[in-house]
Amino acid sequence: MELSERVKTLTPSSTLAITAKANELKAEGHNVIGLGAGEPDFNTPEHIIEAAYKAAKEGHTKYTPSGGLPQLKKDITEKFHRDLGLDIESGQIFVGTGAKHVLYTLFQAVLDPGDEVVIPAPYWVSYTEQVKLAGGKPVIVETEEKNDFKMSPEELESAITDKTKALIVNSPSNPTGMLYNADELRALGDICLKHDVLIVSDEIYDRLIYDGASHVSIAQLSPELKKQTILVNGVSKTYSMTGWRIGYAAGNTDLIKAMTSLASHSTSNPVTVSQFAAMAALENSQDIVEEMRVEFEKRLNAAYERLVSIPGVTCVKPKGAFYLFPNVKDAAAKSGYDDVADWASALLKEQKVAVIPGEGFGSPDNIRLSYATSLENIQEALDRIENFIQANTKD
């Protein structure tokens, strides 16, 4: 069977080989520590689980409107008003099967073949692939560790052509954890307004922010930027609901209608009981969110201090999300590896620590470490990483 050209263009996930090998080693009885998780290790809060159970028992197991239940849309508009001071109407909301599906639907709705999307690197692995699946062209802007992996206005301006359709802003970032401030976002936004470039603002980690920092949405900064932006978010990271698959977007009414129409021919609707679970998450006390955030910050501080003490490793301390993104090029080279991905494979084989090579995020000198696991596991994993470097360092 001949596969379509669109799937032939997809880049294989950089995590697959590491994940498969880690699972194989675990099956053989090895004590493998995985630092690749892209999801909180806490269970979904009990009141959210109970709301889903109650909804199912009451018969809420049928189709819903393609773009989400009216009450959930209302809750989302209230979330935007509460957290960002934004007034958004229910007709400007699309609810999808996770933020990933929301982004996929968005690109399918706005991109024609040859349209360009500016993506700062490091980037979340699916951005480039989703743009390609929609017939678009990812335009990668390399950022630097010395600048906290942030794209400058000059770099954005240089990347824009007459084919540029959109810019992706991910703050807080996966994989770097970096956070743009209001002035930085305003500078990028002004360029997008100048060139009529759609701003896709992925804010899925908006509630996981540390060190006294605050989340700023580019849509908050002016009425013009609000009109130019489509906000993407969801309940997965904030409420530890990754498997429930509820994400949402807020933006231009015509675009939201187009996304809803497209979803009606693909997924029909987000999972019904998951929508009721999301309503429970948004409508009730947010204390549990702060409890999880505080625990993540404790892990971050301990893990970061230990990580940067390891010879050959440098790392920008993140302000959000739950990842560290250290540069291990020097450590790998001293260990006899020119390629960080090969170094990561050897680390798994010899020390049974699974990390994600940075090449899939557009940064081949780095690795992504998730601290969405116990502090005990994190400390043990970092000890093993240092042991691996010391044991393999060449004189």
Side-chain angles (χ1 to χ4, degrees):
M1 178 184 292
E2 185 69 19
L3 298 176
S4 70
E5 291 301 318
R6 73 177 63 85
V7 298
K8 289 180 182 178
T9 68
L10 294 177
T11 303
S13 171
S14 61
T15 66
L16 287 180
I18 289 286
T19 301
K21 184 61 178 177
N23 289 337
E24 179 183 321
L25 290 170
K26 287 181 181 178
E28 293 173 358
H30 294 282
N31 178 20
V32 177
I33 300 177
L35 299 182
E39 59 184 349
D41 55 315
F42 309 106
N43 195 21
T44 302
E46 189 65 25
H47 72 280
I48 298 173
I49 296 173
E50 287 299 320
Y53 176 73
K54 181 174 181 288
K57 292 288 286 185
E58 291 177 351
H60 297 291
T61 57
K62 311 300 182 184
Y63 293 128
T64 74
S66 295
L69 288 163
Q71 182 59 46
L72 177 53
K73 289 185 176 186
K74 182 175 182 293
D75 290 343
I76 292 167
T77 66
E78 291 175 353
K79 176 260 193 303
F80 281 124
H81 182 78
R82 179 180 68 241
D83 292 354
L84 302 176
L86 291 174
D87 291 324
I88 295 172
E89 299 176 358
S90 292
Q92 296 175 282
I93 301 293
F94 167 75
V95 182
T97 309
K100 180 181 283 190
H101 170 246
V102 170
L103 286 162
Y104 177 85
T105 306
L106 165 63
F107 293 129
Q108 292 291 325
V110 300
L111 296 181
D112 287 318
D115 285 344
E116 296 178 352
V117 178
V118 178
I119 305 174
Y123 47 75
W124 179 53
V125 295
S126 291
Y127 290 147
T128 55
E129 307 314 296
Q130 291 191 353
V131 168
K132 289 190 289 185
L133 282 169
K137 177 185 176 183
V139 176
I140 307 303
V141 175
E142 305 285 347
T143 65
E144 298 183 85
E145 186 173 352
K146 66 181 181 180
N147 297 324
D148 292 344
F149 297 114
K150 296 182 184 182
M151 179 175 60
S152 71
E154 294 76 18
E155 289 169 331
L156 173 58
E157 184 85 56
S158 297
I160 291 176
T161 73
D162 59 359
K163 295 182 179 180
T164 305
K165 193 68 172 285
L167 162 71
I168 298 177
V169 176
N170 179 208
S171 176
S173 162
N174 173 11
T176 67
M178 71 84 192
L179 187 70
Y180 284 103
N181 63 37
D183 290 339
E184 292 163 339
L185 288 172
R186 187 176 288 107
L188 297 177
D190 287 345
I191 293 170
C192 290
L193 289 172
K194 172 184 173 183
H195 295 281
D196 193 24
V197 171
L198 175 69
I199 302 165
V200 180
S201 186
D202 182 352
E203 303 178 10
I204 193 70
Y205 294 96
D206 67 331
R207 299 292 297 276
L208 298 176
I209 295 178
Y210 317 113
D211 197 27
S214 299
H215 169 66
V216 178
S217 171
I218 196 167
Q220 289 176 277
L221 302 179
S222 72
E224 294 78 16
L225 285 171
K226 178 185 173 185
K227 289 177 63 177
Q228 197 74 12
T229 300
I230 182 159
L231 296 168
V232 178
N233 208 321
V235 298
S236 293
K237 315 298 182 179
T238 298
Y239 302 100
S240 194
M241 293 176 66
T242 52
W244 297 81
R245 310 312 301 134
I246 295 292
Y248 49 86
N252 174 277
T253 303
D254 290 338
L255 176 53
I256 292 298
K257 286 180 179 178
M259 293 170 66
T260 303
S261 179
L262 184 57
S264 74
H265 293 293
S266 56
T267 54
S268 290
N269 63 268
V271 174
T272 303
V273 293
S274 292
Q275 292 186 68
F276 278 88
M279 285 187 273
L282 292 167
E283 292 172 3
N284 287 285
S285 169
Q286 304 296 295
D287 289 350
I288 189 65
V289 175
E290 177 62 9
E291 290 174 18
M292 289 190 284
R293 190 204 66 79
V294 167
E295 179 59 29
F296 277 133
E297 185 162 18
K298 289 179 183 177
R299 296 175 186 177
L300 164 62
N301 290 334
Y304 179 78
E305 182 178 350
R306 178 71 183 89
L307 178 66
V308 295
S309 73
I310 299 175
V313 176
T314 62
C315 187
V316 176
K317 189 174 184 180
K319 295 282 190 179
F322 40 70
Y323 309 107
L324 292 158
F325 199 62
N327 186 313
V328 297
K329 182 180 180 180
D330 287 347
K334 291 176 181 178
S335 303
Y337 294 93
D338 295 327
D339 186 280
V340 167
D342 291 340
W343 179 89
S345 295
L347 172 67
L348 176 59
K349 181 180 179 180
E350 296 183 25
Q351 288 289 339
K352 309 300 184 293
V353 176
V355 300
I356 307 300
E359 60 184 2
F361 304 100
S363 188
D365 294 340
N366 296 70
I367 57 175
R368 193 188 77 174
L369 310 177
S370 169
Y371 48 93
T373 186
S374 70
L375 191 55
E376 180 182 6
N377 279 344
I378 295 167
Q379 297 285 19
E380 173 63 21
L382 293 176
D383 287 345
R384 293 186 192 183
I385 289 173
E386 182 167 26
N387 291 338
F388 174 73
I389 293 171
Q390 291 176 341
N392 290 278
T393 295
K394 311 296 181 183
D395 294 329

